[in-house]
Amino acid sequence: MKSIAVFCGSSAGNDKVIFQDSYNLGKILAKRNIKLVYGGSKLGLMGQVAKGALDNGGEVTGVIPGFLKTKEVVHPNLPELITTKDMHERKLKMHDLSEGFIALPGGFGTFEELFEIITWAQLGLHHNPIGLLNSNAYYDELIAMLKTMVRKGLLKKANFDLLIIAEGAEELLDKMANFQPLPVPKWINKEQT
């Protein structure tokens, strides 16, 4: 993988481990020569992952909708910043620029991005690995809920397995490098979405 989109919180939260893990992910991406594609903010966990990459000589592209592009939000030191008209275009651009996806801890926006990109994979619209960095057990309850969905027959195990889960960035990236996508469904194509 040459580029990974990272979805994460624009808030810093109150967990120092998660805050440090966000910086560490950016640092590891830079050390592995993997371009970081992210939401373009200087704030919160988003700012930390960008800082980790930039501090270690990494390549970083921010993608931000115009309405969020203010001096208080946008990262001022990005080598590349793409401005989109809205949130939907932002996600499409991040998808187009990336060969993999990682969700760090975050709120509703992070969940929405994660579930949309994994739904696209389930439908065969992309075949890129999707990682969930379960920093400091942040996603334990979500993982348990997904397993309940499988048990109740509302989520196929093969689709659950599209989500690559690890507690550390190095382990997650190693697992993502070995990802094998599902066969493409024959009943849907990109124009139908």
Side-chain angles (χ1 to χ4, degrees):
M1 289 175 293
K2 295 178 183 172
S3 58
I4 290 180
V6 174
F7 307 132
C8 59
S10 58
S11 297
N14 58 15
D15 187 316
K16 291 178 183 175
V17 173
I18 291 172
F19 194 75
Q20 184 58 45
D21 283 351
S22 299
Y23 180 90
N24 191 47
L25 175 61
K27 177 180 177 180
I28 291 167
L29 291 174
K31 300 257 182 219
R32 290 190 180 208
N33 295 312
I34 299 172
K35 178 182 186 177
L36 167 65
V37 178
Y38 87 114
S41 176
K42 68 179 183 181
L43 303 175
L45 302 182
M46 291 173 71
Q48 278 302 105
V49 73
K51 182 173 176 18
L54 292 168
D55 285 354
N56 291 279
E59 191 177 348
V60 179
T61 296
V63 183
I64 194 165
F67 75 91
L68 287 178
K69 193 176 176 185
T70 66
K71 289 181 181 175
E72 294 80 29
V73 173
V74 73
H75 197 298
N77 302 321
L78 296 178
E80 182 178 19
L81 180 67
I82 298 169
T83 304
T84 63
K85 65 180 180 179
D86 55 33
M87 297 291 279
H88 183 68
E89 186 180 310
R90 176 201 224 179
K91 289 183 291 185
L92 288 172
K93 179 53 80 174
M94 290 175 76
H95 169 267
D96 290 345
L97 294 172
S98 304
E99 296 176 359
F101 306 91
I102 292 176
L104 281 167
F108 284 150
T110 302
F111 276 46
E112 188 270 337
E113 291 166 328
L114 170 64
F115 283 114
E116 182 164 33
I117 207 69
I118 201 161
T119 300
W120 290 359
Q122 177 180 310
L123 295 172
L125 300 178
H126 74 83
H127 305 288
N128 300 323
I130 303 164
L132 187 69
L133 188 59
N134 191 22
S135 174
N136 206 18
Y138 183 80
Y139 283 116
D140 281 358
E141 287 85 2
L142 175 64
I143 294 163
M145 181 65 218
L146 295 174
K147 289 178 178 177
T148 296
M149 292 164 67
V150 171
R151 241 183 0 266
K152 300 283 185 181
L154 294 170
L155 176 64
K156 292 180 181 173
K157 175 75 164 70
N159 291 328
F160 170 79
D161 291 340
L162 289 171
L163 190 58
I164 302 162
I165 303 166
E167 294 179 9
E170 295 278 8
E171 177 190 3
L172 184 61
L173 289 167
D174 290 345
K175 285 181 171 183
M176 289 174 71
N178 294 316
F179 172 72
Q180 295 296 318
L182 292 174
V184 180
K186 295 184 172 142
W187 47 271
I188 192 166
N189 63 51
K190 199 168 193 171
E191 288 73 41
Q192 291 172 303
T193 61

